[in-house]
Amino acid sequence: MAYPLPRTVLIVDDDPHIRHVLGFAFGKAGVASVEAADGEAALIAVARSAPDLVVLDINMPRMDGLEVCRRLRADGNAVPILFLSSRDDEIDRVLGIELGADDYVVKPFSPREVVARAGAILRRSAAPAVQAAEIGVTHGLLRLDTAGWQAFWAGAEVVLTVTEFSLLAALAAAPQRILSRDVLIDRLHGPGFAVTDRTIDSHIRNVRRKFAECGARDVIETRAGIGYRLGPCGRE
C-alpha cells in the first residue's frame, strides 16, 4: 500500500496489545501511527496530531468510541473513522455508521484486514473519488468540489465524511444512472470487501439527513429493489 503523501492513523483502544499489533501492521504498510488508550485521550490526540484516519474501539473506559465519534462530528471534524467492535451485532454496526463512521471491523480481526479497510478509506481521501468529476460537479443546487472534498447546497457547505462524499460523488458522476448497492460498495471499497447493503443504506440516510438540514429534500432518489441515483437537487 503506497500513498502520495505521508499518512498518520490514530489507533484508539484500551488494550495495549491491540494498539501494538495494529501499529506494527500500519508501519509495515508505510503508514505512521499514534496511539490513545481511552476516549478522552483520543480527543486530545485528534486535536494535537490531526490524523488522516482514526481506528476507534467502541468499548472503552471513561468515554466509549461512540461518544468520541459524536463529539468529533458535533465539532464539525470529518476525519475518517474506522470502528472496532467486540460485538458482532448489526445494530451496533449501523449505529456506528449513522454517527458518522466510515467503516467497521468486528473483533477478533486480522490486522491485515484493518489495514486494508483503512487503506481503502485513505485512498478515497487522497485523490478525487470519481475521475469524471475531477474539476467538480454542479447539479441543480448541489455542487461538489472534489479537489477540496467539499459539498455545497445552494452555496452553503454540507460537511460530509470521506465515505459520504465518495458515495455522493459516485452518484453525481452518473446522474442519470441507477447504481445498485453492490456497485456502490465496489466504488467505495473495491471488489471483495464484506460490506452489507444495510451499511450503504445507513450512509445514504446520513447524506440525506445532512442535506435536509439545509433544506434539500431530493438529493438522492431510491428506486425500490434496484438502488439509488442522484435526485433533481432543486431543478425543475
Side-chain angles (χ1 to χ4, degrees), residues 53-104:
L53 180 141
V54 179
V55 177
L56 182 60
D57 186 32
I58 290 180
N59 299 305
M60 294 185 297
R62 302 178 68 180
M63 182 188 300
D64 66 19
L66 299 179
E67 181 60 24
V68 172
C69 186
R70 286 191 188 97
R71 295 197 184 191
L72 288 174
R73 297 305 184 235
D75 290 340
N77 192 319
V79 61
I81 293 175
L82 172 65
F83 268 138
L84 303 178
S85 175
S86 58
R87 294 177 292 182
D88 188 9
D89 188 313
E90 189 67 24
I91 294 177
D92 283 344
R93 296 178 182 181
V94 174
L95 174 59
I97 298 297
E98 289 177 345
L99 283 171
D102 290 88
D103 203 354
Y104 58 83

Side-chain angles (χ1 to χ4, degrees), residues 9-234:
V9 170
L10 170 62
I11 303 169
V12 187
D13 198 298
D14 59 320
D15 186 333
H17 176 69
I18 289 178
R19 297 199 306 270
H20 173 76
V21 168
L22 289 180
F24 180 77
F26 277 113
K28 287 184 64 177
V31 180
S33 63
V34 292
E35 299 179 6
D38 58 59
E40 293 180 358
L43 293 176
I44 294 173
V46 169
R48 288 179 177 174
S49 304
D52 298 290
L53 180 141
V54 179
V55 177
L56 182 60
D57 186 32
I58 290 180
N59 299 305
M60 294 185 297
R62 302 178 68 180
M63 182 188 300
D64 66 19
L66 299 179
E67 181 60 24
V68 172
C69 186
R70 286 191 188 97
R71 295 197 184 191
L72 288 174
R73 297 305 184 235
D75 290 340
N77 192 319
V79 61
I81 293 175
L82 172 65
F83 268 138
L84 303 178
S85 175
S86 58
R87 294 177 292 182
D88 188 9
D89 188 313
E90 189 67 24
I91 294 177
D92 283 344
R93 296 178 182 181
V94 174
L95 174 59
I97 298 297
E98 289 177 345
L99 283 171
D102 290 88
D103 203 354
Y104 58 83
V105 176
V106 177
K107 298 178 180 178
F109 52 75
S110 161
R112 295 177 66 179
E113 179 187 5
V114 175
V115 172
R117 288 185 178 270
I121 298 171
L122 289 173
R123 283 191 295 273
R124 291 200 298 272
S125 63
V130 183
Q131 290 183 351
E134 287 183 352
I135 60 175
V137 172
T138 299
H139 184 80
L141 298 178
L142 172 69
R143 183 170 68 85
L144 300 181
D145 173 6
T146 52
W149 287 85
Q150 292 176 292
F152 300 88
W153 180 266
E157 183 175 3
V158 182
V159 178
L160 303 177
T161 68
V162 168
T163 298
E164 291 163 1
F165 185 92
S166 299
L167 180 64
L168 188 56
L171 294 171
Q176 304 304 318
R177 289 185 57 193
I178 301 172
L179 301 184
S180 69
R181 292 173 177 84
D182 287 342
V183 168
L184 289 171
I185 289 171
D186 287 348
R187 296 280 179 90
L188 296 180
H189 299 279
F193 268 75
V195 178
T196 67
D197 291 351
R198 197 169 174 185
T199 299
I200 292 294
D201 293 344
S202 294
H203 287 307
I204 293 287
R205 283 197 300 272
N206 281 346
V207 173
R208 285 173 168 160
R209 173 180 54 79
K210 291 180 178 181
F211 275 89
E213 292 170 356
C214 294
R217 302 292 177 182
D218 59 355
V219 66
I220 297 176
E221 293 182 345
T222 300
R223 292 304 173 98
I226 305 175
Y228 299 100
R229 77 173 182 183
L230 194 68
C233 297

